[in-house]
Amino acid sequence: MRMVLGAALTRAMREELITVNVARLTTLPAPPPKKVKPWTPDEARAFLTAARNEPLYPAFVLLLVYGLRRGEVLGFGWDDVDLDEDVIRVLWQLQRVDGKLTRTEVKTEAGKRDLPMLPIIRDGFIELAERQLFARRRAGDDWQETGLVFTTKTGRPIEPRNLARAFERITAKAGLRRIRLHDLRRTTASLLKRPGAPPRRSWAMPTSRGRCRR
């Protein structure tokens, strides 16, 4: 429509009927964002099966089953994991501040929440604690203690982009339809809708005293 109107006004300018082609001065609205089709339950299950032996398997469970953000997952500390009461607490997030990966509090009070620890993530945390203990012994003096659940082989925070790369690698290896790591949140909402649970399901639970012992 703008092209047709612009051509007509250009003709009018040539005939000196107008001095400005206002159609050329307009800005078209941005195209609507591409709709993302989340994974089906079968696709989500296939991904978790393919990722089962990956070091970051618990991270993918948190992303897919709980619908957490990438920064929230990578910001988990062992003090946030309560194996006595089967609760995990979302209090922190990993962000890049002045070029450095930094653990900061979640932005809002509403973002601070307690989640029930499902058996699948409980087993993953226990296995991950054993792997981290082995990595600490192997790294020796190179180990940097951060208290984080998900770390590199030397205890440092995991680069968020590396988590996305691992997700893309596992997705391709499993032959699954390609989606972004961020789109796992949409998959979570889709999975919750199927059994009739609301997408914004509340996981709030009373605060407990116990902490994860390593």
Side-chain angles (χ1 to χ4, degrees), residues 131-132 134-148 150-158:
R131 287 185 178 181
Q132 194 175 99
F134 176 79
R136 184 189 294 107
R137 292 173 178 172
R138 187 172 184 177
D141 294 339
D142 291 334
W143 181 265
Q144 178 179 316
E145 185 57 54
T146 59
L148 292 173
F150 301 103
T151 68
T152 65
K153 294 180 180 180
T154 55
R156 291 167 173 76
I158 289 181

Side-chain angles (χ1 to χ4, degrees), residues 183-204:
D183 296 332
L184 288 182
R185 287 172 57 82
R186 297 176 181 271
T187 299
T188 303
S190 176
L191 294 178
L192 288 175
K193 285 181 179 180
R194 294 181 67 89
R200 295 182 179 273
R201 178 178 179 180
S202 173
W203 296 98

Side-chain angles (χ1 to χ4, degrees), residues 65-110:
V65 177
Y66 291 88
L68 297 181
R69 297 176 176 83
R70 178 173 60 178
E72 292 173 337
V73 170
L74 296 181
F76 266 119
W78 286 110
D79 285 344
D80 304 321
V81 179
D82 188 337
L83 291 177
D84 295 329
E85 298 294 334
D86 285 339
V87 173
I88 52 180
R89 297 180 176 84
V90 182
L91 302 173
W92 304 90
Q93 59 185 341
L94 191 68
Q95 290 186 321
R96 191 171 296 282
V97 179
D98 296 330
K100 182 180 179 180
L101 289 177
T102 306
R103 193 177 182 223
T104 63
E105 290 189 9
V106 294
K107 295 180 179 179
T108 64
E109 287 298 319

Side-chain angles (χ1 to χ4, degrees), residues 44-53 57:
R45 191 179 301 110
F47 173 81
L48 289 180
T49 299
R52 180 62 187 88
N53 294 323
Y57 173 71

Side-chain angles (χ1 to χ4, degrees), residues 147-173:
L148 292 173
V149 172
F150 301 103
T151 68
T152 65
K153 294 180 180 180
T154 55
R156 291 167 173 76
I158 289 181
E159 175 66 45
R161 179 54 189 158
N162 289 340
L163 180 63
R165 290 192 181 102
F167 171 73
E168 293 167 0
R169 173 177 55 79
I170 298 169
T171 299
K173 186 177 180 180

